[in-house]
């Protein structure tokens, strides 16, 4: 690997005039400076493009396309990918931002040619940039590092769990090109299918530090595709992935009993409580009316005493404009962990 390889940054942008300047400043302040940036504006109708072009930076390459929409996000990513010159690829959405050490910390992890992808911890922030929570690396080191190759499939395929935050990822360009670019699957974004496919190609470098900040705002939670439909799209992709890579999976020691996996996936689907999870996140963001409406959907299916108590606390939170539910849940988890340690 050359001493200071060029990193290509890909950003699809759409109507993020409120956030795009912070996104740009987070790249300009990187301690690693050998980068180029392809920003592909997906038909913004606000001042997003004007703000981008005000930054007089030769490394930023701004392009505009007719609006393709979120359903075609992978195609937009692949269009930007085709414009890249770098040896490595990093992704950054136009309302997110990076820690200033992000690129420098990651590029050092590619000394081994067996490393195809690097990622790290992502911190979730609200529309004002206030930290809400952070992701974590898998407890199983073999899954986290995909070592031996294929180990990450124990989470990605068996548990149908994507643990790799998009904005923290860096990929070796040659490896992404070898699989045909970002994997385009109807009903899914580019990240999960692409990480799953790359898990057959080499090891992952997992970094236990916050590399970036993923912004959530109410419109990004309640709008968009149906999560249950997305779950079914993932299952359809996984069935095709297993069928299309059966020999490779066997060579890696990953035995696939599809009937067993189907039963496990069905169990996971039953455990998915989308309205509950969305309502808790909306409470974190201070969107109390939306949180109450989301939880009501969950309550209609399960009117247990516990859930009715939570609904009461959500209503009270809405009145006093303070989240009472998440702090109570966190305190409960800490008490349970304390008792567990003292057993």
């Amino acid at each position: 690997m050359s001493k200071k390889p060029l990193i290509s940054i890909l950003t699809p942008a759409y109507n993020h005039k409120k956030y795009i300047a912070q996104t740009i400043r987070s790249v300009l302040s990187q301690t690693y400076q050998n980068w180029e940036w392809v920003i592909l504006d997906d038909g913004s109708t606000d001042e997003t493009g004007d703000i981008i072009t005000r930054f007089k930076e030769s490394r930023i390459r701004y392009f505009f396309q007719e609006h393709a929409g979120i359903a075609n996000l992978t195609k937009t990513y692949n269009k930007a990918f085709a414009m890249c010159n770098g040896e490595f690829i990093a992704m950054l959405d136009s309302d997110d931002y990076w820690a200033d050490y992000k690129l420098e910390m990651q590029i050092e992890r590619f000394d081994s040619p067996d490393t195809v992808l690097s990622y790290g911890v992502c911190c979730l922030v609200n529309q004002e940039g206030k930290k809400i929570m952070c992701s974590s690396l898998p407890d199983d080191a073999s899954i986290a590092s995909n070592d031996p190759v294929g180990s990450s499939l124990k989470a990605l395929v068996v548990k149908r769990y994507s643990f790799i935050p998009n904005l923290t990822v860096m990929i070796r360009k040659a490896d992404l090109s070898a699989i045909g670019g970002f994997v385009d699957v109807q009903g899914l974004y580019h990240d999960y299918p692409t990480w799953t496919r790359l898990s057959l190609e080499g090891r992952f470098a997992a970094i236990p530090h916050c590399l970036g900040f993923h912004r959530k705002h109410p419109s990004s939670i309640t709008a968009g595709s149906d999560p249950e439909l997305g779950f079914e799209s993932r299952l359809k992709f996984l069935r095709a992935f297993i069928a299309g890579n059966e020999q490779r999976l066997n060579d890696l020691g990953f035995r696939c009993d599809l009937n067993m996996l189907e039963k496990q996936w069905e169990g996971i689907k039953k455990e998915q409580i989308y309205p509950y999870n969305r309502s808790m996140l909306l409470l974190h963001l201070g969107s109390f009316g939306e949180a109450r409406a989301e939880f009501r959907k969950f309550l209609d299916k399960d009117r247990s005493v516990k859930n009715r108590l939570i609904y009461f606390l959500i209503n009270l939170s809405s009145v006093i404009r303070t989240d009472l539910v998440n702090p109570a849940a966190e305190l409960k988890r800490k008490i349970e962990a304390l008792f567990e340690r003292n057993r």
Side-chain angles (χ1 to χ4, degrees), residues 68-79:
I70 193 72
N72 292 300
L73 181 61
T74 305
K75 291 181 175 61
T76 298
Y77 261 110
N78 278 323
K79 184 175 179 180

Side-chain angles (χ1 to χ4, degrees), residues 40-57:
L40 185 51
D41 189 334
D42 188 35
S44 291
T45 56
D46 63 3
E47 293 85 40
T48 295
D50 294 335
I51 294 170
I52 294 169
T53 53
R54 281 182 209 143
F55 286 86
K56 304 305 180 184
E57 170 55 64

Side-chain angles (χ1 to χ4, degrees), residues 100-306:
D100 58 9
Y101 51 79
K102 194 262 187 189
L103 294 180
E104 184 171 23
M105 183 173 284
Q106 280 195 288
I107 201 66
E108 295 171 352
R109 305 303 176 102
F110 284 92
D111 285 342
S112 169
D114 294 334
T115 300
V116 300
L117 178 151
S118 171
Y119 71 100
V121 172
C122 163
C123 291
L124 192 68
V125 299
N126 68 8
Q127 49 268 59
E128 281 78 41
K130 180 181 178 181
K131 188 167 75 172
I132 299 170
M133 64 183 76
C134 289
S135 67
S136 59
L137 303 181
D139 293 332
D140 187 328
S142 68
I143 292 176
S145 60
N146 197 40
D147 188 10
V149 173
S151 297
S152 290
L153 296 173
K154 289 182 283 188
L156 292 166
V157 171
V158 178
K159 296 183 179 179
R160 202 214 52 87
Y161 164 51
S162 183
F163 56 88
I164 302 175
N166 179 67
L167 83 160
T168 73
V169 169
M170 185 183 291
I171 309 171
R172 200 183 297 274
K173 182 183 180 182
D175 294 311
L176 186 56
S177 296
I179 66 168
F182 295 99
V183 179
D184 193 359
V185 177
Q186 186 177 5
L188 296 180
Y189 300 142
H190 65 286
D191 49 357
Y192 176 72
T194 303
W195 314 158
T196 302
R197 180 62 185 83
L198 283 171
S199 67
L200 299 178
E201 301 303 316
R203 295 176 178 82
F204 299 164
I207 300 174
H209 297 283
C210 178
L211 300 182
F213 301 86
H214 178 47
R215 197 186 304 273
K216 278 290 187 182
H217 32 94
S219 60
S220 69
I221 299 168
T222 55
S225 58
D226 182 341
E228 293 192 19
L229 183 60
F231 190 95
E232 290 302 322
S233 296
R234 283 198 180 195
L235 297 192
K236 185 177 180 180
F237 160 70
L238 288 174
R239 293 180 188 110
F241 172 77
I242 290 171
N245 295 281
E246 186 175 5
Q247 187 57 53
R248 184 76 186 279
L249 291 167
N250 285 335
D251 292 343
L252 292 172
F254 190 83
R255 301 286 180 257
C256 294
D257 183 333
L258 194 53
N259 290 330
M260 181 194 72
L261 286 174
E262 290 276 2
K263 290 178 182 178
Q264 184 153 339
W265 293 336
E266 188 61 33
I268 293 171
K269 181 180 178 181
K270 290 178 181 177
E271 293 172 4
Q272 298 297 311
I273 44 179
Y274 300 108
Y276 178 91
N277 293 336
R278 282 200 297 266
S279 67
M280 295 303 106
L281 184 51
L282 285 161
L283 281 174
H284 270 305
L285 298 177
S287 300
F288 300 103
E290 294 94 332
R292 185 171 61 244
E294 283 296 315
F295 194 85
R296 184 74 203 193
K297 298 174 188 176
F298 176 67
L299 187 65
D300 288 343
K301 296 181 179 179
D302 184 353
R303 298 188 61 82
S304 67
V305 173
K306 174 186 173 183

Side-chain angles (χ1 to χ4, degrees), residues 9-28 35-65 92-96:
I9 304 164
L10 310 185
T11 294
Y14 180 68
N15 284 357
H16 277 151
K17 67 176 183 178
K18 185 177 179 181
Y19 308 118
I20 187 64
Q22 184 177 19
T23 302
I24 293 172
R25 285 193 293 269
S26 80
V27 174
L28 295 178
W35 49 262
E36 64 166 7
W37 194 356
V38 176
I39 301 179
L40 185 51
D41 189 334
D42 188 35
S44 291
T45 56
D46 63 3
E47 293 85 40
T48 295
D50 294 335
I51 294 170
I52 294 169
T53 53
R54 281 182 209 143
F55 286 86
K56 304 305 180 184
E57 170 55 64
S58 61
R59 292 171 294 179
I60 297 177
R61 298 158 57 202
Y62 173 73
F63 303 91
F64 186 91
Q65 69 176 19
L92 180 62
D93 287 343
S94 56
D95 56 347
D96 297 337

